[in-house]
Each structure stands twice: as C-alpha cells, then as structure tokens.
C-alpha cells in the first residue's frame, strides 16, 4: 500500500485520461489499495491559471477529487513553514508546497518535473 500525492499536471492528466500519464503512475493511481491525495495547493494553482486563461480545467475540482476516490490534503501552517524553508532548487511556490507536503506527510510524489528529486523526497516520474 502506497500513499501518493499527485502533482497538478498528473491530477489533470488523470481526469482526462491523457496519454502523457505514464503506465506505472496510472497503475499506482488506479490501485484501490493506495491512498491518493490531491493538495489544496493544486486547486489553488488550477484556479489561478484558469482565471488567467492559461488552463482549461473542470470547474468543480473538489467534486472531481471525490469522484476519483482521492483524498483532500489541506495546506497547514506547518506545510507553509516547510515550503518556505526549502532550498531554492525550485522557484514555483505551488511545487514547493507539494514538495513540503510530501516531506511532512511521507508521501510518494507523482510528477513529471525532474527538479523535485533534488529535495530528497520519494518521487515517481509520472510522464511518458
């Protein structure tokens, strides 16, 4: 049994069955023995990018998380402190929050971003 955290792209790929989602990542997400988390930071990132016209995504993301059988991962004060204290390998604040959450909660982070591994967290390359 694994506890997984989906990067924003991975979550969106899952929702639309995008072929960029790699086979191993797809299998892990689909395995009902695994707990799959989607961070509140992902909802925030998607909402901002949708409002800027940079992203077309479903409107009711909370329902999409639940319909997929995933768990919500709130952003806590501790997560915020952890994200702020990370070394500057990656500048994206949303990604830094996901990294901090993966560290704090002991989650395997599924991502297509190869910079995440510089933080010493468990990462699975989720892209094809």
């Amino acid at each position: 049994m694994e506890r997984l955290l989906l990067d924003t792209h991975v979550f969106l790929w899952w929702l639309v069955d995008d072929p960029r989602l790699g086979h191993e990542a797809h299998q892990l997400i689909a395995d009902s023995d695994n707990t799959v988390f989607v961070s509140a930071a992902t909802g925030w990132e998607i909402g901002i990018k949708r409002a800027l016209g940079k992203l077309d995504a479903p409107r009711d993301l909370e329902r999409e998380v639940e319909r997929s059988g995933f768990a919500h991962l709130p952003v806590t004060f501790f997560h915020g402190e952890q994200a702020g204290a990370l070394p500057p390998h990656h500048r994206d604040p949303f990604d830094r929050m996901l990294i901090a959450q993966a560290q704090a909660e002991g989650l395997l982070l599924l991502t297509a971003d190869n910079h995440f591994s510089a933080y010493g967290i468990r990462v699975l390359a989720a892209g094809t």
Side-chain angles (χ1 to χ4, degrees), residues 4-128:
L4 314 171
L5 177 58
L6 305 185
D7 186 6
T8 302
H9 284 94
V10 174
F11 174 57
L12 291 171
W13 291 346
W14 174 265
L15 291 180
V16 298
D17 199 25
D18 193 303
R20 289 177 285 185
L21 181 61
H23 178 75
E24 184 178 2
H26 190 279
Q27 293 294 91
L28 280 171
I29 296 167
D31 186 338
S32 62
D33 288 336
N34 295 331
T35 303
V36 180
F37 291 93
V38 178
S39 173
T42 292
W44 181 26
E45 179 179 16
I46 291 170
I48 287 173
K49 289 182 178 178
R50 186 190 311 114
L52 293 172
K54 294 182 175 184
L55 183 64
D56 183 28
R59 289 278 174 206
D60 192 351
L61 293 173
E62 185 173 9
R63 193 174 101 238
E64 293 295 334
V65 170
E66 292 165 2
R67 185 172 38 210
S68 296
F70 301 157
H72 298 277
L73 181 60
V75 174
T76 67
F77 198 88
F78 181 74
H79 294 149
E81 287 186 306
Q82 289 289 103
L86 289 172
H89 304 306
H90 203 300
R91 296 181 104 64
D92 184 293
F94 302 108
D95 290 343
R96 290 173 63 83
M97 178 55 69
L98 295 178
I99 291 161
Q101 288 182 304
Q103 282 179 338
E105 307 301 328
L107 304 173
L108 173 63
L109 182 54
L110 278 62
T111 183
D113 190 323
N114 58 7
H115 292 96
F116 284 29
S117 58
Y119 289 95
I121 59 172
R122 294 185 319 127
V123 174
L124 175 74
T128 54

